[in-house]
Every structure is written in C-alpha cells, then in structure tokens.
Amino acid sequence: MRWAGQQVGDDDGALPGMPALKGLVRSVQTPEFAGITFHEVRARSVLNRVPGGSPMPFGWTVNPYRGCSHACTYCVVGSTPVLRADGGTVPMADVRPGDALVGTVHGNGLRLLDRTHVLAHWSRRRPVVRVRLADGTTMVVGTEHRLLTRAGWRHATAEGAADHGGAWVVPGDVLVGAETLPAPGLAGVRDVLDESRGADRTLVSVEPAGEETVYDVTTTTGDYVAAGLVHHNCFARNTHTYLDLDAGDDFDRQVVVKLNAPEVLAREVRSPRWTREHVAMGTNTDPYQRAEGRYRLMPGIIRALGASGTPLSILTKGTLLARDLPEVVAAGRDVPVGIGVSLALLDPDLHRSVEPGTPTPRARLDLVRRIADAGLPVGVFVAPVLPGLTDSDAALDALLGEIAAAGAAGASVLALHLRPGTREWFHAWLAREHSHLLERYAALYRRGAYVQQAYREDLKARVAVLLRRHGLDGSGHHMGGRLDGGRGVAPDNPEPWPDGALPRVPAGLVRDTAPEQLSLL
C-alpha cells in the first residue's frame, strides 16, 4: 500500500479544521482508497457503550476507526412533521441544531416522553419507501430508517436490516405511537398526543417510493417523535462535528484512525470499574477492512481484551483475520470468544462471475478450517442464497457439508436481498448470465427488496433438515428486538445467529438480535 508520501497538507485539500484537531498526527489520501481521507489521531478513549434500547446482543464495542464508508442513515423526507417540546410541530427539513424536540427516556421500567435537543442535522438523496398504517398514517422514510414497534426497534426494510444488523417491520407489526406513552413534565404535549389516542398503528405495507432528499438528525436521547411515532436516529454521527467535520457526507468520507487504540483500550479495561462484559467487533463495519492491513490495530485490541478477562466476538467477511489467529487463540485461553464468517456458495465459476475480487469460497472455507483447527468456535453465515442458482437441496447440502467438515460450530442461511443499487446491477448481471431466471426473480421480488414470504418459509424448512443432517443446527441466538433497554425480548424472527459467532458468556449478558446479512454483492 502506497502510504508513504501521501500526506495531505494545508494546500492539498485537507479540511480546514483538521490541523487544529488535538491528537492529529497526519491526514492521508492514497490511490487505494479513492475519495476517502484517513485522519490519523491519538485517541483518549476507544471503549464504547451501546446505546440503551439497541437490539444488539452486547453492551460494548470497540471501533478503532471513526467514520465509515458504509454508515447507516436513519432518515425521513423533509415534510415529515416532527413534534417540538412546546407541543407544536416543525417539518423535518426545517429542524435546526439546538431545537428542543420530544424524545423518549427510560424510567421505572417504562419508556417516557422527554425533552430532547438536536445536536446535528443533515440531508442527502437516498432510496425511500412509503410506510402505511391502518389508521391512515403515511410516511416516506429511508430504507435503513428505524421505527419503534411493540417488539422493539425495527428497520423499515430488510435491506436496511441486512446492511446494519437488526430486524425489520412486516405487515401486522404494531408501531408505538407517542400517544401511548406517558409524558411527564412536558407542558402542552399531552393535549396534542391525546387527540389521536386509540389510533390503530398496525403496519399495512412498505412500498418502494423511488429516491428523494431525506433528512437525518442526532438528538440527545437518540430518538424523536414524528407523525405520531417514535423514530430512531444516528447517535454516532454527531461525533464528527466535534472534529470540525459535518455529520453527513464527511462521516462517510473522512475516516479517523485511532493509531493508539490498542494502548488506550488496555488502559481502559484495566480500570477497576470495568465489569468485563462482552465486547463485539464487526457488526456494523468489518474490523478487517483493507486499511487494517496497513494499520494493524486489531492484534493489540485482541490482546488487551483477552488479558483483561473480557469476552469478545469478531464478525468478518474477509480472510485477513487469519493473520491474527494466534492472538485470538491466546485470548481464547482466558475468555470466551466468538467468530463469524460469511460464505455463500462453492461453485468457483459462479463466484468469479458474481463476486470478482473477493476471497474465493475455498479461501473462506480454509479460514473456517484454520479457525476451528486452532480450537476456536466459528459460525458461518450462508448469505445470500441466490434463488435458482445456489438454493437447490443439492447445492445447499454440499455447501453445508463442506462447512461442517471445516469444523464450523453452526450455520445460518439467509436469502438474497435486492436493495436499490444492488438490484439494478444484479438484474443486469442476471440478464447477461442467466436470462432464463429473469421472470422468476421478477415474481419473487415483485414487492421490494426481499424475497416473498412463501419462498423464505420453503427455504427455512429445507435448510432445517440439512442443518440437522450436518450437525449445524445448534440453538444459536435468535433475532428479536428489545424494548425498554432489554427488559422485554421478542424472539419472533426465526433466523438465528449461528453457534460459534457469539461468545458463550453468562446468560445475563446475552441479548437477542438479528444477524447482519454479509452481502455477496
């Protein structure tokens, strides 16, 4: 990697605020990462608590990289009415940092309405869907947007859940309306909410609605109320504003690298206040992204967690993890560990056609085998399954047989999601390579990004037999949202994390959640 001599100077496009950033070592641009600038810093802290109400099965994460080219966006169109703290409403497009809105907090086992303040506000053009409820409420939101249901937080679409982990809404889900929540201490709000008490918030449909300019915010509570419903927002993006960067596009293209992450983490987990809860890496972005080949932050991070007695898990799509297996093995002698790997197919010709430039199926199987041979647990996400190409009993049986022979502890099988952008590319590829399947895909995906329910149910039934045959049907950890900070678990989605992907920590530390679909495309 050609990093030497690539430092960005004041006259070479460096952002004006970055040179004054405390701890900044240098800013780097390289041909290998077109359009992305890496800002190398020395950080004060790297151990991050997962926000309350998150559906993730862990309470802590470590992110040696700040900012992400695959960042989540929880957004709505500009006309969406947002509830102000004074009881009035304001269009989302007109919200400004400093505004006082209505959000929610947890208290006495309940989710309560409370005042929240806007920390950041930005816009971008994104694919959107139209959400319809039984009471006539209609909203246009981004595909990754998250709404509060009675079963917990849910993404608006399956592709949103696939990109960022979690479950998604389906017709019949009941959304949480703000009028159902107590509102102590908010003068003027209760009267507004009571006007719609008793509304039927049952989800009727989620339909593709093209692309629009959408708006996102960061609030002090991590949520807000709009169109009578509770909405999630991105808690992390506002951290970029502390660096004189904006919370929108800069979060995707200006990546801060915490050069001293291993040393800082080692200090933090030695603190007598640290309770040694499970720390997860890779559920949002792959810790073994290509830049890790240069920065080599993960070995020190793994050592710090293991030495402190902290359970850890790693979820990765690539094979760079093999470099650090000795470190993971050493940590595994002292703490529970879990590793998840993605592997979708075996056919080398199909792989070269649909997945060029990625590690081959054999390379990933070899990674699974090396992990298992090292005595470490490993779970495999067979995702995505391609209807008509990789979903036959014979193909799945062969793949799961190889996965079992490689020593995996468990496997989960997930069908292809055709999200916007991927859909167009995939259909063009299908027309070139397998035109006889075009009509079938049109039928299977006629309602949007994810395959018809009948197909999913058939796949699930066939896969259950094969998983049992190959000894890959362990209990896993089922998907499900958590409401009120984990007080209620709803394991209502049948797809589990595979055994091996999460550490076997005490039951009180394991929370149910949806796996990220590790995209083949």
Side-chain angles (χ1 to χ4, degrees):
M1 297 179 63
R2 295 168 294 185
W3 293 78
Q6 297 295 331
Q7 182 166 342
V8 178
D10 291 343
D11 297 327
D12 298 324
L15 294 177
M18 292 304 296
L21 174 65
K22 187 172 183 179
L24 177 65
V25 176
R26 65 172 182 168
S27 297
V28 182
Q29 294 174 340
T30 73
E32 290 86 353
F33 297 91
I36 298 178
T37 301
F38 294 92
H39 303 287
E40 300 174 351
V41 305
R42 300 192 63 80
R44 293 183 176 181
S45 176
V46 296
L47 190 60
N48 304 308
R49 180 183 286 278
V50 176
S54 168
M56 290 298 167
F58 43 81
W60 297 87
T61 63
V62 169
N63 300 298
Y65 305 96
R66 190 175 187 176
C68 176
S69 59
H70 302 289
C72 53
T73 304
Y74 305 139
C75 47
V76 300
V77 296
S79 60
T80 307
V82 178
L83 186 60
R84 299 196 313 250
D86 63 5
T89 62
V90 57
M92 178 56 119
D94 296 336
V95 170
R96 293 292 179 266
D99 286 355
L101 307 177
V102 176
T104 72
V105 295
H106 298 136
N108 299 321
L110 298 173
R111 184 180 290 272
L112 306 172
L113 294 177
D114 201 1
R115 183 182 300 266
T116 189
H117 290 88
V118 177
L119 301 174
H121 179 261
W122 64 94
S123 66
R124 63 178 59 198
R125 193 159 184 85
R126 303 282 289 183
V128 295
V129 293
R130 182 169 289 102
V131 177
R132 300 182 187 276
L133 307 184
D135 67 353
T137 298
T138 300
M139 295 178 299
V140 178
V141 304
T143 57
E144 300 161 351
H145 191 63
R146 291 174 71 193
L147 295 157
L148 186 62
T149 75
R150 288 184 179 174
W153 290 108
R154 294 286 188 267
H155 290 275
T157 66
E159 64 268 26
D163 285 342
H164 305 299
W168 59 92
V169 294
V170 296
D173 284 348
V174 178
L175 277 63
V176 174
E179 73 279 358
T180 67
L181 303 171
L186 282 173
V189 172
R190 182 178 294 280
D191 291 340
V192 173
L193 298 177
D194 283 346
E195 291 177 2
S196 57
R197 186 173 296 280
D200 185 351
R201 299 296 191 182
T202 303
L203 179 68
V204 174
S205 64
V206 178
E207 305 161 353
E211 288 192 0
E212 290 197 33
T213 298
V214 291
Y215 297 81
D216 201 356
V217 294
T218 290
T219 67
T220 52
T221 60
D223 61 6
Y224 60 94
V225 174
L229 301 173
V230 183
H231 301 247
H232 198 283
N233 64 64
C234 181
F235 70 92
R237 281 181 175 268
N238 185 60
T239 61
H240 250 45
T241 64
Y242 305 154
L243 311 178
D244 291 332
L245 301 172
D246 72 65
D249 194 55
D250 283 346
F251 190 81
D252 303 334
R253 297 188 178 276
Q254 305 290 333
V255 178
V256 177
V257 182
K258 302 173 185 177
L259 296 176
N260 61 337
E263 296 82 5
V264 173
L265 178 62
R267 184 189 71 239
E268 290 180 308
V269 295
R270 284 196 303 265
S271 167
R273 296 190 300 271
W274 175 237
T275 57
R276 297 176 178 82
E277 296 182 47
H278 168 206
V279 173
M281 293 163 283
T283 56
N284 289 324
T285 58
D286 198 322
Y288 287 100
Q289 56 189 277
R290 286 191 299 136
E292 171 62 15
R294 157 69 182 185
Y295 288 110
R296 301 182 65 88
L297 301 178
M298 285 297 292
I301 289 172
I302 294 167
R303 286 195 295 270
L305 293 172
S308 69
T310 301
L312 63 101
S313 65
I314 300 170
L315 179 61
T316 182
K317 305 174 187 179
T319 56
L320 185 56
L321 170 63
R323 181 197 69 188
D324 295 343
L325 279 181
E327 303 290 351
V328 183
V329 169
R333 297 191 187 106
D334 300 317
V335 300
V337 301
I339 301 177
V341 174
S342 171
L343 174 61
L345 51 84
L346 288 177
D347 187 324
D349 293 331
L350 182 58
H351 169 263
R352 282 191 294 270
S353 176
V354 75
E355 212 179 23
T358 63
T360 67
R362 290 297 163 188
R364 295 192 214 184
L365 277 172
D366 182 61
L367 175 63
V368 173
R369 184 173 293 105
R370 293 177 66 179
I371 295 169
D373 287 348
L376 296 167
V378 55
V380 177
F381 293 92
V382 178
V385 172
L386 305 178
L389 294 172
T390 66
D391 65 343
S392 69
D393 287 348
L396 291 170
D397 186 40
L399 177 56
L400 292 171
E402 293 269 17
I403 290 170
S412 291
V413 180
L414 303 170
L416 171 71
H417 299 156
L418 284 178
R419 53 187 178 273
T422 296
R423 174 187 290 272
E424 293 77 12
W425 178 91
F426 184 81
H427 279 173
W429 175 84
L430 200 65
R432 291 194 310 271
E433 304 290 339
H434 304 279
S435 59
H436 63 286
L437 290 175
L438 283 171
E439 289 187 9
R440 184 182 181 193
Y441 273 77
L444 287 174
Y445 292 90
R446 68 175 182 270
R447 297 198 175 196
Y450 48 97
V451 72
Q452 284 187 332
Q453 180 68 26
Y455 179 92
R456 293 200 300 271
E457 291 177 353
D458 174 71
L459 179 64
K460 176 187 171 184
R462 293 189 293 114
V463 164
V465 174
L466 299 175
L467 290 174
R468 286 194 297 271
R469 177 182 300 169
H470 295 290
L472 297 170
D473 60 338
S475 59
H477 301 283
H478 284 269
M479 293 197 286
R482 292 190 287 124
L483 189 59
D484 294 334
R487 295 179 178 88
V489 175
D492 57 344
N493 198 308
E495 300 293 352
W497 283 71
D499 271 2
L502 293 177
R504 291 292 184 179
V505 297
L509 299 180
V510 176
R511 307 282 171 83
D512 289 336
T513 185
E516 177 187 9
Q517 176 173 315
L518 300 173
S519 177
L520 174 72
L521 306 174

